[in-house]
RNA sequence: GCGGUCGUGGCGAAGUGGUUAACGCACCGGAUUGUGGCUCCGGCAUACGUGGGUUCAAUCCCCACCGGUCGCCCCA
């Protein structure tokens, strides 16, 4: 096979596409009830948008971006995540001037990350995501988390775990950061090479290192929760209170550190606990990013959002054995048998039925009548319309109901009415 | 970037250092010349991931590469 999809990419074939559509529609419905509006941003941005928006110290920017130069010598990058793009669009289109604040947005988008493919990790991945810009109300944090949990619940998932943490405001973070450096610096040589770098770049991330998890200094490391100033502490408590009011279960994990630089205050992750889900359990992750809009040249604007992996969502549904209801049946199949005139009439008839709201298909493979019936059967056609020389002569159609096997002669001029009555309940 | 494992028709799956590479499913046709699902019979197919090497001879042995898959790091 010489022509293959690039590594880490897959084709979504019709059978699966139907599942995607189902999930997308359900999600759009939830977004509508939460009063979020869709936004669509370009597939690629100036590389700088992500460097500044996502953060230079992140894995995404350092080693995972699909960056290329266009013919004009500009450095562009296929978007690796959604927040930076949406924030750029917010600033560029001056949505901060919209009287309807906060601005509540959702998106479905392909993301691109140059990584080694694995179960639940593709180089081109699909995300559903949400961003709320313009409000620093802790109730918004709760609303965003509620939206994500509602999507999962309405699709039928039950084995979920919501983990939250607070990274605090700038003052809290700076104090904690200094405490971390003071704590780990004496033992620097004993930590893994990644952590040694993290200690100077982003010491917070030392905390969720899997390699050094058992190092004795980990247990005694200063917790961010002990360094939250009054305002940050109160904010985090309010978020938890709102979640409790909405009956949303959660656990606080002080070591939950989101990988992107822009997060502060609330950070959260939703994981699947279903059996056999694979090594990757994170379904969605997000957090608050007050300050990002300013970094991108906008006015001081608080923001919060999350990204939800679509492939992982479908994996989770499968892991929990949740069947997605898909109707693959066909209303009508026209079986034409006979002369060329019959073929012409069949073509005319198919067109007429379709333009009158009836789903219909016919054979184009030159199959024999028996094989055409087989095809109709495979398509799960509810009705078969047999058209032959006899019917052509009499200007009738033989209508067969496949489930019961009953047949009747219907004058062509009454066919649409008859089918509508049967298929649409007379509408 | 690192490690394990795998790579045979559309799909699944045997197999061998040497003349036509099993079989099952699917598909098409016939039995049943205007009627599906069952049965029987027949047919069908650009198949041994790619490139080297060993050999008289490689799908099989060796090497490299590519790709799938699972895991590590990290995340969605």
């Amino acid at each position: 096979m010489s022509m293959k999809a690039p590594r880490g990419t897959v084709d979504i074939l019709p059978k699966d596409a139907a599942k995607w559509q189902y999930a997308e529609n359900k999600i759009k419905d939830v977004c509508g009830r939460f009063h979020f509006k869709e936004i669509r941003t370009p597939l690629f941005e100036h590389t700088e948008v992500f460097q500044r928006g996502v953060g230079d110290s992140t894995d995404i920017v350092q080693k995972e971006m699909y960056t290329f130069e266009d013919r004009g010598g500009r450095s562009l990058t296929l978007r690796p995540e959604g927040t930076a793009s949406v924030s750029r669009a917010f600033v560029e289109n001056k949505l901060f001037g919209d009287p309807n604040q906060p601005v509540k947005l959702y998106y479905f988008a392909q993301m691109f990350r140059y990584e080694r493919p694995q179960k639940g990790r593709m180089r081109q991945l699909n995300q559903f995501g949400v961003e709320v810009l313009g409000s620093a109300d802790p109730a918004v944090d709760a609303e965003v988390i509620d939206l994500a949990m509602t999507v999962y619940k309405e699709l039928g998932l039950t084995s979920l775990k919501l983990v939250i943490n607070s990274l605090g405001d700038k003052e809290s973070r700076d104090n904690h950061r200094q405490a971390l450096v003071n704590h780990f610096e004496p033992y620097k040589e004993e930590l893994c090479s990644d952590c040694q770098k993290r200690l100077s770049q982003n010491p917070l991330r030392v905390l969720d290192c899997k390699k050094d998890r058992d190092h004795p200094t980990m247990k005694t490391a200063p917790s961010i929760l002990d360094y939250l100033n009054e305002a940050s502490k109160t904010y985090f408590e309010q978020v938890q209170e709102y979640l409790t009011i909405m009956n949303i279960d959660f656990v606080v994990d002080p070591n939950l550190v989101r990988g992107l630089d822009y997060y502060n205050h609330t950070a959260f992750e939703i994981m699947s606990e279903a059996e056999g889900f694979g090594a990757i359990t994170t379904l969605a992750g997000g957090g608050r990013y007050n300050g990002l809009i300013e970094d991108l040249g906008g006015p001081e604007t608080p923001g919060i959002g999350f990204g939800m992996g679509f492939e992982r969502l479908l994996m989770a549904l499968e892991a929990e054995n949740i069947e997605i209801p898909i109707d693959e049946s066909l209303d009508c199949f026209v079986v034409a048998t006979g002369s060329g005139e019959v073929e012409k009439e069949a073509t005319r008839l198919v067109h007429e039925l379709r333009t009158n709201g009836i789903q219909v298909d016919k054979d184009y493979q030159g199959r024999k009548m028996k094989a055409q019936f087989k095809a109709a059967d495979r398509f799960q056609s509810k009705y078969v319309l047999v058209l032959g020389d006899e019917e052509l002569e009499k200007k009738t159609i033989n209508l067969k109901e496949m489930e019961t096997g009953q047949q009747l002669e219907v004058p062509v001029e009454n066919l649409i009415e008859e089918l509508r009555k049967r298929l649409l309940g007379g509408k």
Side-chain angles (χ1 to χ4, degrees):
Chain A
M1 191 82 78
S2 55
M3 299 295 284
K4 283 184 184 167
R7 183 165 214 195
T9 67
V10 288
D11 299 308
I12 310 292
L13 299 175
K15 201 178 164 209
D16 286 325
K19 294 180 183 174
W20 284 65
Q21 279 183 25
Y22 173 83
E24 282 171 16
N25 289 337
K26 177 61 91 178
I27 291 171
K28 283 178 184 170
D29 178 52
V30 171
C31 285
R33 273 180 273 146
F34 276 72
H35 198 214
F36 279 62
K37 305 289 188 187
E38 185 178 7
I39 183 168
R40 303 192 188 194
T41 64
L43 194 67
F44 54 86
E45 298 277 351
H46 291 294
T47 301
E48 195 190 358
V49 170
F50 301 117
Q51 285 172 338
R52 286 171 57 192
V54 180
D56 278 320
S57 79
T58 61
D59 282 358
I60 286 181
V61 170
Q62 283 188 348
K63 53 184 194 186
E64 295 175 6
M65 293 204 301
Y66 271 94
T67 297
F68 60 96
E69 215 173 79
D70 73 4
R71 288 164 191 267
R74 287 169 282 261
S75 178
L76 302 172
T77 296
L78 264 33
R79 62 182 168 213
E81 58 96 57
T83 302
S85 301
V86 171
S87 297
R88 190 230 82 225
F90 178 87
V91 172
E92 183 171 342
N93 296 288
K94 300 183 170 57
L95 296 185
F96 45 78
D98 192 311
N100 296 320
Q101 298 289 326
V103 176
K104 307 206 292 184
L105 305 167
Y106 75 89
Y107 60 81
F108 286 95
Q110 291 76 33
M111 305 300 173
F112 302 84
R113 296 184 197 174
Y114 192 89
E115 294 189 278
R116 185 83 188 263
Q118 190 183 319
K119 190 178 181 68
R121 169 190 287 159
M122 293 286 113
R123 287 185 173 180
Q124 175 175 335
L125 57 121
N126 288 271
Q127 278 189 357
F128 156 64
V130 143
E131 313 290 348
V132 178
L133 295 151
S135 172
D137 185 339
V140 168
D141 301 44
E143 176 174 287
V144 164
I145 292 171
D146 183 33
L147 191 157
M149 295 304 284
T150 300
V151 162
Y152 287 132
K153 279 179 192 159
E154 293 200 7
L155 282 166
L157 294 179
T158 53
S159 299
L160 297 174
K161 182 178 170 190
L162 168 64
V163 180
I164 64 170
N165 188 28
S166 173
L167 308 177
D169 59 12
K170 189 167 190 310
E171 184 190 34
S172 306
R173 284 189 70 158
D174 287 347
N175 289 339
H176 181 234
R177 180 193 169 104
Q178 194 52 52
L180 282 172
V181 172
N182 294 343
H183 177 77
F184 284 117
E185 195 62 43
Y187 309 96
K188 189 171 179 180
E189 297 307 316
E190 297 170 27
L191 299 175
C192 75
S193 58
D194 279 341
C195 282
Q196 293 181 15
K197 276 181 231 156
R198 287 174 184 141
L199 202 50
S200 54
Q201 287 189 336
N202 191 349
L204 201 56
R205 292 185 56 205
V206 173
L207 289 179
D208 72 342
C209 177
K210 305 283 192 299
K211 276 188 199 151
D212 293 325
R213 164 187 302 178
D214 296 325
H215 193 275
T217 54
M218 280 294 171
K219 291 192 195 85
T220 55
S223 167
I224 177 67
L225 297 181
D226 295 328
Y227 284 80
L228 294 181
N229 57 25
E230 272 314 304
S232 298
K233 205 169 157 187
T234 304
Y235 192 92
F236 190 38
E237 283 167 358
Q238 286 177 309
V239 172
Q240 294 180 61
E241 197 178 337
Y242 283 122
L243 289 175
T244 304
I245 285 169
M246 292 191 284
N247 264 321
I248 296 171
D249 293 332
F250 62 88
V251 296
V252 174
D253 179 358
N255 288 336
L256 172 67
V257 176
R258 303 286 309 153
L260 311 187
D261 288 355
Y262 51 59
Y263 287 118
N264 45 55
H265 286 291
T266 313
F268 66 96
E269 218 165 275
I270 300 169
M271 297 181 276
S272 172
E273 294 186 303
E275 293 282 326
F277 186 71
I280 292 170
T281 59
T282 304
L283 296 179
R288 183 162 275 285
Y289 46 85
N290 300 346
L292 176 60
I293 296 297
E294 276 174 277
D295 290 345
L296 294 177
E300 185 181 342
T301 307
I304 181 169
F306 67 75
M308 176 184 288
F310 222 91
E311 286 82 358
R312 292 182 187 184
L313 166 64
L314 295 176
M315 273 171 58
L317 289 171
E318 204 160 308
E320 293 198 28
N321 286 315
I322 294 163
E323 285 293 320
I324 292 178
I326 294 169
D327 181 9
E328 291 189 306
S329 69
L330 172 68
D331 286 347
C332 280
F333 191 85
V334 172
V335 168
T337 176
S339 63
E341 288 306 309
V342 169
E343 279 302 324
K344 287 180 188 169
E345 170 61 6
T347 300
R348 190 199 65 74
L349 185 65
V350 162
H351 168 77
E352 187 182 16
L353 292 175
R354 287 170 175 167
T355 53
N356 277 280
I358 293 164
Q359 184 190 29
V360 53
D361 205 353
K362 74 181 284 294
D363 173 67
Y364 293 107
Q365 301 303 108
R367 292 193 177 96
K368 298 287 170 51
M369 182 178 219
K370 184 187 176 81
Q372 292 190 46
F373 263 90
K374 271 191 163 182
D377 203 48
R378 277 200 301 273
F379 285 135
Q380 298 175 44
S381 191
K382 298 185 187 83
Y383 295 96
V384 165
L385 306 175
V386 181
L387 178 66
D389 290 315
E390 268 180 49
E391 287 83 1
L392 192 62
E393 185 80 16
K394 293 193 287 183
K395 296 196 192 310
T396 63
I397 289 290
N398 183 296
L399 174 68
K400 176 170 184 173
E401 186 176 30
M402 293 299 271
E403 201 181 325
T404 62
Q406 288 178 338
Q407 303 187 52
L408 70 155
E409 289 288 313
V410 181
V412 173
E413 68 258 34
N414 297 343
L415 187 61
I416 290 167
E417 191 191 349
E418 179 67 26
L419 285 172
R420 277 190 167 169
K421 193 173 74 189
R422 289 165 174 266
L423 292 165
L424 312 169
K427 272 177 275 180

